[in-house]
Each structure stands twice: as C-alpha cells, then as structure tokens.
Amino acid sequence: MHSRWNDAEAAGFIARYAAKGVPEPLALRVYTSRLLGCDPTLVQHGGGNTSVKLTLPDLDGAPVRCICVKGSGWDLGDIEPQGLPAMRLDPLLKLRPVEHMSDEQMVDAQRGALLTQSSPTPSVETLLHAWAPFTFVDHSHANAVLALTDQPSAGADLCAEVFGPKIALVPYVMPGFGLARAAAAVIEANPDAEGMVLLQHGFFTWGDTARESYERHVRYVTCAEERIAKATRRASAPKAASEARVATVAPLLRGLVSKAAGKAMVLDFRGGDLTLDWAADPERARRVLIGTVTPDHVIRTKGRPLVLAQADLASGAEQRFEAYAADYRTYFDANDRRVGGGLKMLDAAPRVILVEGVGLFGVGASKKDAAVAADIALTNLAVIADAEAVGAFEPLSEAHLFDVEYWSLEQAKLGKSSPRRLAGKVVAVTGGASGIGAATAAAFAADGAEVAVLDLPSSGAAFPCDVTDAASVAAAFARIVETWGGLDILVSNAGAAWQGRIGEVDEAVLRTSFELNFWGHQRCAQAAVAIFKAQATEGVLLFNVSKQAINPGPDFGPYGLPKAALLALMRQYAVDHGGDGVRANAVNADRIRSGLLTDAMVQARSTARGLTEADYMGGNLLGEEVRATDVAQAFVSLALAERTTAAVLTVDGGNIAAALR
C-alpha cells in the first residue's frame, strides 16, 4: 500500500471548501477521509469512520470546541463536510467517567451535542473518537490487519510482532459505549501509541495533522501486508470445469432465496479465481467460512454463506436452502433466549451463495444491496485466505456476531420504512429507449423495480436487443439473468407501424410487420416464461396491443392484423400458463406521441382533418391528450393486479369503438 496524499490535491480541497466557509482542518479531514474510502482493502460501503477536533462558532457566534465525526448514511469515498456533523466536544468529554450507558442513551447524548439538530446521526463510535486526545483520528477495517487478528489465539502476538509497541491492542468489545470506554482506557495507558488495533474488528490511527494520521494508517497496514506476503499459502484447489452457466443456475437460486426470504430478492454474480477456488471444495468452504472477518459485515452478509456443490444443483438445492433456514432459526432462537428474548427474527434467507464451478452470488432486496453483499463476501474470502496463510482463521463467536446482527440500534429500524411496491422485482421493457417504452421503464423504476431497458443496438439501450432476431433475444434475456438473477415482469412494447390497403399491400410488408409486431412479442414472451418457470415463481407478461387490435382503421391492416394476433397471443398465454402462476395482460392505447405517432404525423393528421393539434390529440370522450406516462401507469397497474389475467386495459381518453368489456 502507498500513500495517495498529494499536496496539490490537498490545496485544492482547502481552496474549494474555503469558498463555502469550511475551515482548513475540516477540508483536509474530507480529503483524507476520501483517500481512505477510495481503497476497498480499507473500507467498503459506508464502513470506517473519521474525525477532526477544531473550534467552530456556536449558535450565538461564540467559539466552541467541537468534534466532527462521520455521520450515518455517508460513505468515506465521497464524503462532504456535511457528512461530518459537528458536536460540542465538552459535553462528550464529561461522559468519560460514566460507567454504564445504553446505546440508545449514548445516541441521544451525541445528538444532544450537535451544533445543528438537522445533521445526520453521528457514528456509534463517536465517543471513542471524542475521548482519543488527538486532532485527527482514522478508523478502518483494513483487510491485512483483520487477517492478523482473526486467529485462534495468536492474533495479539502477531500484531505485537508486526506493529511493535507504537500500536496498542484492544480485546474485542462490541461497538458502542463499552468499546469507547475500553479503547479510552488503552489509549490512556499507552500515551506514546500512534494507533490501536481492535482485535477482530478494525484499526485506528491518529495524529496532529490529517496527513500524519492518514500516512500512519498506510504505513502500519503496509507492515501487515508485508507480513502476509511472506506467508506460505495452501495450494489452490483444482477448478473443475463445469457446464453449469450463470444464466441457468441464477433463476433456480433466485426463486429459492426469494421463497426463503418471503419477498422478491435480487442476485449479483461474481466469478474469478478467488470465488472458484473456494467453491471448488464445498465441504472445506462449509467448514472454514463460519463467520465474518469483522462483525460490521454480518448485517450485510449474515454469519456464513450458503455453499452448494454441483450435485446440489441437480436435485438437492431446495433441501440445502431449507437446512440453511433451519440452522438460522436455531441460531436465532438460542441467542434470543441468551439475551432475554423479545427480538424480531430477520428472514432466514442467505445473503451470500457460493456455488461449486460457478462462483459467488450476493443476495439483496435490490441490486445495490446484492452488490454490497457480494463485495463484502469477496473481501471475506480474501481475508480468510490471508488469515489461513499466516495461521488459521477463527472468527468471533456466534454470540458476538448475533449481538451485532441483532443490535438494538438495528432492531429499532425494523418496520420504520416501507419498501416500494415493486422492490426486488426485475422488469424488462422492450422498445424501452423512447416513447411509451421509456416512460414505462421510468414508471417501474419509480416504484422500486430493477429495470432492464431493451432496444435496438443503435438506440444505446443498456440491453441491446433486436426482437426480430432470435439470437439477439436469447442473448439479451441471458444478460438480464446474469445481471439480476432472473425476471419477474416483461413489458413487451417494441413495435412499428406499416400502412397500406390490405387488398393491395405487398406481402413482404405484411410479413415484415408480423415479424416485429407479432413474432417479436412471442420470442420475448417465450424467453420470459422460461425464466419464470426456472425460478418457480409467478411472472407477469404485459403486451402493448394498440387500439388497432380492437378497432382497426382504414389502410392500417399491415399494423392492425399482427396486433390483433398479439391480442390472441396474450390470451393464449393466460390460458396455457396460468397454472404456472403467469399472468398475461395487455394495454390498448391510442393517439400517444411516440416513435409511432411522431410530432410530424400529429401535425399532418391534424391539418388533414382541419383541426388544431390539441383538438386532434384530445379527440376522445374526456377531451384530453393521452400521454405516454398514462400508458406507463396502466402497465404498472396491471403488474400489481395480482388476480387479473387475460385482461385488456384501454388507455385512450375514451373511444367507444375500441372499448372492451
């Protein structure tokens, strides 16, 4: 590891924030916090915390000693000054003689010391920072330090050997008031220390300047890295070739993990030598991966992953999930009794799944949560491998991990936020780069769904797909599965309009229109249903059938005929796959500005009828123009209508000729 400090960059931070009234020490605190946060071997996803002590104006303008500590919800990698809420220091120092305080009382005391009550809640380790008599304090969960401390008995000896007397050691204490007291006592007993190791938890350094504290952090972590580099590693397990593909395995896993969680979950896949090495020996992985390398990770990943062998994929995956859930319930019940009962059990689904010959899947209620779980799981694998190289990995006890996973401060958050209606659902929208498709993709995303926008390669869509090409469709849907683990809702929207009198139109025009406006929908629907069935979950097919399917207009046969066939296709899916839990519905829209009905077409049609554009677009019973967003909301409504199938929802402002029952 090397220092990323740069004098020019530091000066830039000082100048930038000075213009906003931010004092130099706080500007440099932001700078070095980001230096720590940009290194995933030090902190990840909101982990770690930093502080600075300085004098600031109080509410009455009088100078007051303060401490600024990272606040809840902020990440060191992109922190801003407001992410380091300022607290009056003296009230926090007066708490040092207090022997007992609940975490809730501690949080209240910290919030009471805030200069501005609208600030984010300061870190739970605020008192540790406040009681450390140094201007700048840095805290990370450095991988190399954790590898030295996650040992059966030699962790303290290894740290003493590697770091020397300038780094004090603190035996494991759960974060909170107790840890602050224990750390303060160690600091007071070691006045010459430049930092301290919290065994099996993390690493602190401090200094008179931001640079001094940061570069001490880098220097000592480098010592740990060099010690690990000298160790002899076990030979990598043979990575047996496997025919199992992510696109095949992921839907099975997603269906089972969603069932275990009682809600839709999303996967994030990670391959590579590290995951394959661990997965190559499932029995060893189950034996060794028995805890997290720091307790902070357990909230994201649970205590251990679910490990599956190739044989499990063929016949025993469901039993493995059930066994994992049973073990988790046993773990919860035993520890809930230990702490006096009354806790609310989290779901029993794994957050990390390691599959022999395939790799690692992070699991979460959103893509972001799943990616965080995967990132942290990879860190755990790397640190455990390093720990084994220098000795033998031994995590904290199950009881210690439980106490963090079921921390009162975390329990208090349960039930306080309601997930959005489509959270965890994966939606594919064809023709999603513009018009109705773009509006529909935005509407589903606003309701919490993970959205794959499919459109022609030339559109710049995230998932290039030509629905008239079977190979292109297969590739796009495989990418969806590889990205999220599966699919829940298909909005089959891609289409284009061809015109011509049906008795005179060229057959090639009609065939071309059918290829896109019928067969394109069938290809996508087939691909979606295959995923639904692999997941063994319910699924939703939504088709844009258009007014032409119900109320054909003159000279629009080449467009209306495949749309009428599409309406029949929707109903056939409802009939044939209702037993599989698949709902199939359609939206019948008319006169929507889009790629089919362009502004130029609206102007031409209005002029031809002797109408203003407003009168033409509002030529319906309501007298109002219907927008793409109105159609989008209809698709969302049908996706949420759990007992509705084979239905057509009309969105045209009122056109009796196109109305259905």
Side-chain angles (χ1 to χ4, degrees):
M1 180 173 291
H2 66 276
S3 171
R4 290 186 168 90
W5 176 278
N6 179 284
D7 287 335
E9 287 182 355
F13 270 73
I14 293 170
R16 181 197 319 168
Y17 288 117
K20 300 178 181 179
V22 176
E24 180 176 317
L26 183 54
L28 290 175
R29 176 70 289 175
V30 170
Y31 174 53
T32 53
S33 295
R34 291 190 184 185
L35 295 182
L36 290 174
C38 72
D39 189 336
T41 68
L42 295 176
V43 295
Q44 289 187 2
H45 302 295
N49 40 71
T50 57
S51 68
V52 60
K53 299 178 182 73
L54 71 171
T55 298
L56 294 171
D58 208 337
L59 298 180
D60 60 1
V64 62
R65 291 198 305 165
C66 292
I67 181 171
C68 297
V69 183
K70 193 194 85 168
S72 176
W74 284 85
D75 193 300
L76 290 181
D78 57 8
I79 200 165
E80 294 285 348
Q82 60 267 33
L84 291 150
M87 290 161 283
R88 299 172 187 87
L89 183 58
D90 286 346
L92 303 179
L93 295 178
K94 290 177 181 178
L95 297 175
R96 177 68 183 93
V98 176
E99 294 186 2
H100 301 288
M101 179 178 282
S102 72
D103 288 326
E104 290 76 11
Q105 290 172 324
M106 181 186 69
V107 170
D108 287 344
Q110 292 171 183
R111 287 207 61 84
L114 286 167
L115 284 186
T116 305
Q117 287 300 307
S118 60
S119 298
T121 297
S123 166
V124 73
E125 289 170 342
T126 289
L127 291 183
L128 193 162
H129 285 263
W131 296 345
F134 312 104
T135 305
F136 290 86
V137 179
D138 293 359
H139 171 42
S140 79
H141 301 118
N143 289 4
V145 176
L146 290 172
L148 296 183
T149 68
D150 286 331
Q151 300 289 331
S153 60
D157 293 340
L158 275 170
C159 288
E161 169 201 329
V162 171
F163 301 131
K166 290 291 187 178
I167 297 298
L169 303 182
V170 182
Y172 178 78
V173 179
M174 181 176 167
F177 188 74
L179 174 58
R181 279 181 54 82
V186 169
I187 292 171
E188 291 160 3
N190 295 271
D192 295 329
E194 297 177 348
M196 63 183 174
V197 170
L198 308 183
L199 293 174
Q200 297 183 290
H201 176 178
F203 182 51
F204 277 82
T205 54
W206 42 72
D208 294 329
T209 68
R211 182 173 187 173
E212 182 178 49
S213 182
Y214 165 68
E215 292 193 334
R216 280 177 174 173
H217 216 87
V218 171
R219 184 170 77 251
Y220 284 113
V221 171
T222 300
C223 291
E225 291 176 336
E226 290 173 347
R227 173 63 178 84
I228 292 167
K230 295 176 182 177
T232 302
R233 296 180 177 275
R234 63 179 285 275
S236 295
K239 301 173 184 66
S242 170
E243 296 180 0
R245 302 287 299 169
V246 175
T248 301
V249 172
L252 167 67
L253 301 181
R254 182 168 183 252
L256 290 171
V257 79
S258 296
K259 178 182 177 182
K263 60 184 177 183
M265 301 296 275
V266 175
L267 305 184
D268 185 85
F269 174 71
R270 305 298 172 88
D273 288 345
L274 178 63
T275 59
L276 287 172
D277 182 40
W278 278 103
D281 187 348
E283 289 307 316
R284 173 179 176 269
R286 294 187 187 108
R287 185 176 67 254
V288 177
L289 304 180
I290 54 174
T292 57
V293 298
T294 176
D296 295 59
H297 291 172
V298 73
I299 296 171
R300 299 286 199 168
T301 64
K302 294 194 182 299
R304 61 180 66 196
L306 170 63
V307 182
L308 299 175
Q310 280 290 307
D312 296 325
L313 299 177
S315 60
E318 186 169 6
Q319 289 78 5
R320 284 288 186 185
F321 273 86
E322 291 172 352
Y324 184 97
D327 288 345
Y328 187 83
R329 286 189 289 270
T330 299
Y331 152 80
F332 173 81
D333 291 341
N335 284 283
D336 187 38
R337 288 192 299 271
R338 176 179 60 84
V339 299
L343 295 177
K344 180 179 179 181
M345 192 181 87
L346 304 172
D347 71 71
R351 291 300 184 270
V352 178
I353 304 171
L354 193 64
V355 184
E356 180 185 12
V358 180
L360 181 146
F361 294 87
V363 180
S366 67
K367 181 65 175 178
K368 179 181 178 181
D369 290 343
V372 168
D375 284 345
I376 291 175
L378 288 177
T379 293
N380 273 265
L381 296 183
V383 172
I384 292 170
D386 286 346
E388 286 196 313
V390 296
F393 172 65
E394 182 172 276
L396 286 167
S397 69
E398 185 179 89
H400 282 314
L401 292 177
F402 180 90
D403 289 343
V404 175
E405 185 177 4
Y406 283 87
W407 199 351
S408 61
L409 298 181
E410 293 296 326
Q411 283 278 299
K413 299 176 185 178
L414 299 179
K416 286 193 173 181
S417 61
S418 299
R420 287 181 287 177
R421 296 184 297 178
L422 291 168
K425 298 292 186 180
V426 180
V427 182
V429 182
T430 68
S434 62
I436 291 172
T440 299
F444 275 99
D447 250 318
E450 308 286 340
V451 182
V453 173
L454 283 67
D455 214 314
L456 292 170
S458 60
S459 70
F463 291 80
C465 180
D466 179 352
V467 299
T468 68
D469 181 339
S472 180
V473 170
F477 279 79
R479 274 197 61 209
I480 291 170
V481 171
E482 290 164 0
T483 303
W484 288 284
L487 179 68
D488 301 290
I489 301 165
L490 167 67
V491 181
S492 194
N493 166 74
W498 282 267
Q499 300 183 52
R501 296 186 71 188
I502 199 62
E504 301 167 1
V505 69
D506 188 278
E507 180 178 318
V509 172
L510 195 57
R511 288 185 180 277
T512 300
S513 183
F514 262 92
E515 192 63 37
L516 174 60
N517 293 312
F518 175 79
W519 285 109
H521 295 274
Q522 165 65 352
R523 290 186 188 96
C524 293
Q526 275 192 326
V529 167
I531 297 170
F532 300 158
K533 293 178 73 174
Q535 293 173 159
T537 58
E538 296 178 348
V540 180
L541 301 175
L542 301 173
F543 299 93
N544 187 345
V545 300
S546 169
K547 165 257 186 188
Q548 293 296 324
I550 315 300
N551 176 217
D555 299 334
F556 258 88
Y559 179 60
L561 287 170
K563 285 293 189 177
L566 178 60
L567 175 59
L569 181 72
M570 177 274 287
R571 289 173 169 160
Q572 197 65 48
Y573 269 104
V575 170
D576 286 354
H577 291 284
D580 298 319
V582 176
R583 293 184 285 118
N585 294 296
V587 169
N588 157 30
D590 187 30
R591 291 195 188 182
I592 313 296
R593 293 181 191 267
S594 67
L596 298 182
L597 185 58
T598 63
D599 289 342
M601 292 175 66
V602 169
Q603 183 180 29
R605 290 185 180 184
S606 302
T607 300
R609 290 166 174 75
L611 300 172
T612 65
E613 287 190 21
D615 286 341
Y616 172 71
M617 294 302 291
N620 51 53
L621 296 179
L622 297 179
E624 299 284 350
E625 179 173 345
V626 183
R627 302 155 300 185
T629 52
D630 299 315
V631 182
Q633 287 304 318
F635 279 124
V636 171
S637 296
L638 286 171
L640 293 167
E642 295 182 352
R643 297 296 179 269
T644 299
T645 193
V648 179
L649 184 56
T650 300
V651 185
D652 60 9
N655 175 4
I656 290 299
L660 296 170
R661 65 180 178 84

